[in-house]
Amino acid sequence: MKTLEHLIENNRIWANSIKEKDPDFFSKLSKQQAPEYLWIGCSDSRVPANQIIDLQPGEVFVHRNIANVVVHTDLNCMSVIQFAVEILRVKHIIVCGHYGCGGIKAALENQEHGLIDNWLRHIKDVIRFNAHEFEGLDHEQQLDLLCELNVKEQVRNICNTTIVQNTWKQGKELTVHGWIYSIENGVLKDLDACKGGNNP
């Protein structure tokens, strides 16, 4: 059986370096979780939430899946949103997609990929809803556009959940943002898809 001792060693080095800078870091972290942000992003290993927005552990609550999709029947995602909004009382939900997303690319292709095709149906719906916007674009332009449109669709899906709707009805502060990340230069872009209690 292969062990991953090198990863355990990496962890020891990392934990020691944190404790050298701040001896009480882990004891403080273990006592409380009070993030202001919920990040819903892609599972892609090149898109680590905390690093991209330069926040420490404990400062952002994270949910990730293939192509950052929010489906109302996905009890995992809905549970994360409910916990973040009702228990942690986050003030911001960020949907962050990224250019060059493999899930988005697979949704654009006319070939079978297996089980994941069921998940990609949600992205194919985004294509169907916005078919006219893809006309005349080459493949790369279509891919970039779909990455952006998918984020905007997921923002709408979050805003239409009973969790968010009830939070707004109660007059509580909560804003939903749509961002996209470029792996090529490390820069985030706001897609102007921001929704709040007074702007649903």
Side-chain angles (χ1 to χ4, degrees):
M1 179 173 62
K2 287 190 176 181
T3 63
L4 297 174
E5 189 56 40
H6 64 290
L7 297 183
I8 301 295
E9 180 59 24
N10 286 353
N11 169 258
R12 278 193 283 269
I13 293 167
W14 171 77
N16 287 336
S17 70
I18 295 289
K19 286 183 268 193
E20 283 176 19
K21 293 176 197 165
D22 182 358
D24 298 324
F25 178 84
F26 290 108
S27 61
K28 288 185 286 187
L29 188 65
S30 67
K31 292 182 178 117
Q32 181 176 332
Q33 176 177 222
E36 287 191 24
Y37 314 97
L38 166 60
W39 173 284
I40 297 178
C42 184
S43 297
D44 192 303
S45 61
R46 301 167 295 173
V47 190
N50 286 68
Q51 286 177 280
I52 289 172
I53 50 180
D54 195 25
L55 291 180
Q56 292 297 313
E59 294 184 319
V60 59
F61 197 58
V62 177
H63 176 76
R64 294 168 69 173
N65 62 45
I66 301 296
N68 43 271
V69 173
V70 176
V71 182
H72 297 109
T73 53
D74 178 357
L75 295 181
N76 183 359
C77 185
M78 291 300 107
S79 297
V80 168
I81 293 172
Q82 182 180 20
F83 187 81
V85 171
E86 296 179 6
I87 307 300
L88 297 177
R89 302 192 190 287
V90 299
K91 300 291 189 289
H92 303 273
I93 300 175
I94 301 160
V95 179
C96 187
H98 66 97
Y99 294 116
C101 177
I104 299 291
K105 185 178 177 192
L108 269 175
E109 296 171 351
N110 287 319
Q111 63 185 51
E112 291 186 12
H113 299 89
L115 178 64
I116 194 173
D117 288 331
N118 298 285
W119 185 254
L120 299 179
R121 272 284 9 128
H122 303 292
I123 301 166
K124 288 183 180 287
D125 286 342
V126 176
I127 299 169
R128 186 168 48 86
F129 299 154
N130 301 278
H132 64 283
E133 295 194 43
F134 291 91
E135 294 172 6
L137 301 180
D138 66 31
H139 182 73
E140 286 304 311
Q141 291 171 321
Q142 288 181 348
L143 179 56
D144 286 351
L145 176 63
L146 185 53
C147 289
E148 293 179 359
L149 291 175
N150 182 56
V151 168
K152 292 178 181 180
E153 183 68 18
Q154 307 321 314
V155 167
R156 277 189 288 274
N157 287 345
I158 291 170
C159 292
N160 287 325
T161 62
T162 55
I163 302 157
V164 171
Q165 288 291 314
N166 289 336
T167 299
W168 285 339
K169 283 177 190 172
Q170 294 165 16
K172 294 179 182 173
E173 181 187 350
L174 180 66
T175 307
V176 185
H177 308 263
W179 294 354
I180 194 152
Y181 174 70
S182 172
I183 293 171
E184 292 184 357
N185 62 22
V187 175
L188 285 167
K189 175 182 167 185
D190 190 327
L191 294 175
D192 296 320
C194 187
K195 307 274 184 197
N198 297 322
N199 181 30

